[in-house]
Amino acid sequence: MSETIEDNLHIIRNRIQQACQKSHRSTSEVKLLLATKTIPAERIKIALQAGQTLIAENKIQELKEKYEALKNSPHENHFIGHLQTNKIKDLLKYEVTCLQSLDRLDLAEKLHQRLCFENKKLDVLIQVNTSGEESKFGVRPDEALDLVQKVARLETLQIQGLMTIGLLSAETEKVRRCFQLLKNIQQQIIAANIPRVTMKELSMGMSGDMETAIEEGATIIRVGTAVFGQRPTPDSYYWNESVTVQ
Ligand SMILES: *Cc1c(COP(=O)(O)O)cnc(C)c1O
């Protein structure tokens, strides 16, 4: 089992390297984040022991369940799922360093309140729905700049960039358009020169489309299946608005 995870990581590092070569980028510009939803702590540990340092959950419940078991393996936790406002305290308690899925002002305001109270700051990425699919979370592309401007006024939140889930399609060029759209929005936001806003991170690309994302400028790719194998739970359970059980 450990061999498989290590082998898979090896394969992914090669894929990253080739995609970087193709687009004349340095591999040091692309961080590999492991999406660990449904994966038991013991298996995540194998990946951490193999040298990975960045992991992310989609649900606070899973973050909580695995926290103790992973505490002593050095790593950084991001959060990539839909966050309900009543889970903000837990997000901070379990030491998430970056919320990649900030997609609405009311969540930002409630985070800010809590962060003020705890005298903390938090890195965030703004999640944009670039595929136009209703089942995906994220701010609409034409509303992204406005959301960034408003979130930028909340001084506990440090905007570091943007995140998206591309269209799940076998047609590479359609998927590529999602990533290009995210890059365009990034450029617009940079041009708007908003105080305190950094646009250095573009979190895009998963197991099936990481090469395309890297070619279009991804700085963080989020990979689950290609490391840990197929998950038993369909992704709609994590991505669909109609499912709010946490
Ligand atoms: C599950 C998930 C991933 C990883 O998807 P894979 O196809 O398993 O690599 C990336 N980002 C988000 C937001 C996810 O929920």
Side-chain angles (χ1 to χ4, degrees):
M1 200 196 242
S2 76
E3 262 171 38
T4 321
I5 290 177
E6 282 163 11
D7 290 349
N8 289 345
L9 284 168
H10 185 71
I11 293 167
I12 291 163
R13 287 193 205 106
N14 281 337
R15 286 175 66 183
I16 295 173
Q17 198 170 12
Q18 290 195 352
C20 281
Q21 229 162 37
K22 193 174 163 192
S23 45
H24 309 288
R25 301 184 62 197
S26 156
T27 50
S28 64
E29 293 170 36
V30 183
K31 290 187 274 280
L32 173 60
L33 173 152
L34 304 186
T36 52
K37 56 177 178 267
T38 76
I39 309 301
E42 289 316 306
R43 306 198 68 215
I44 300 171
K45 254 191 198 169
I46 296 169
L48 296 177
Q49 278 155 6
Q52 296 307 302
T53 53
L54 183 56
I55 63 176
E57 290 291 347
N58 290 63
K59 289 191 183 287
I60 296 292
Q61 184 59 34
E62 286 193 47
L63 181 68
K64 208 185 233 176
E65 282 164 11
K66 300 172 202 175
Y67 180 78
E68 282 298 321
L70 296 179
K71 212 169 58 179
N72 296 323
S73 311
H75 67 278
E76 190 178 348
N77 268 312
H78 286 193
F79 194 79
I80 56 175
H82 183 67
L83 183 66
Q84 291 171 294
T85 51
N86 64 356
K87 298 291 198 301
I88 287 173
K89 276 187 207 169
D90 282 340
L91 183 87
L92 303 179
K93 179 172 166 193
Y94 296 108
E95 298 176 295
V96 167
T97 58
C98 178
L99 172 65
Q100 293 204 1
S101 45
L102 183 59
D103 61 354
R104 55 198 198 278
L105 189 59
D106 83 298
L107 176 61
E109 285 169 340
K110 292 200 171 96
L111 272 164
H112 176 63
Q113 264 177 19
R114 186 68 203 175
L115 286 159
C116 283
F117 181 74
E118 295 193 20
N119 196 19
K120 284 184 185 164
K121 292 192 185 239
L122 182 68
D123 285 347
V124 297
L125 305 184
I126 302 296
Q127 182 176 358
V128 184
N129 182 349
T130 55
S131 67
E133 293 165 292
E134 275 180 32
S135 60
K136 302 271 180 67
F137 296 110
V139 64
R140 279 177 33 184
D142 59 346
E143 290 170 355
L145 176 62
D146 184 58
L147 180 61
V148 168
Q149 278 166 333
K150 287 175 176 149
V151 172
R153 292 185 202 127
L154 308 170
E155 68 273 13
T156 58
L157 299 176
Q158 308 174 136
I159 303 179
Q160 304 292 335
L162 305 173
M163 185 272 253
T164 200
I165 300 173
L167 185 73
L168 294 183
S169 162
E171 291 179 68
T172 305
E173 292 318 302
K174 284 190 183 163
V175 181
R176 186 182 301 281
R177 262 178 254 146
C178 296
F179 300 147
Q180 288 172 337
L181 177 55
L182 198 70
K183 178 91 193 173
N184 284 342
I185 297 168
Q186 179 203 40
Q187 295 307 309
Q188 264 177 45
I189 295 169
I190 291 171
N193 214 349
I194 307 161
R196 299 192 337 96
V197 172
T198 309
M199 276 287 125
K200 65 172 193 278
E201 305 291 2
L202 279 183
S203 174
M204 56 190 197
M206 315 197 306
S207 294
D209 54 20
M210 63 171 101
E211 284 88 355
T212 313
I214 291 171
E215 286 165 30
E216 298 305 329
T219 64
I220 301 173
I221 56 170
R222 308 177 310 268
V223 180
T225 312
V227 178
F228 300 110
Q230 286 296 333
R231 289 178 294 270
T233 331
D235 285 342
S236 57
Y237 175 68
Y238 290 88
W239 292 348
N240 198 315
E241 181 79 57
S242 63
V243 184
T244 51
V245 198
Q246 263 194 335

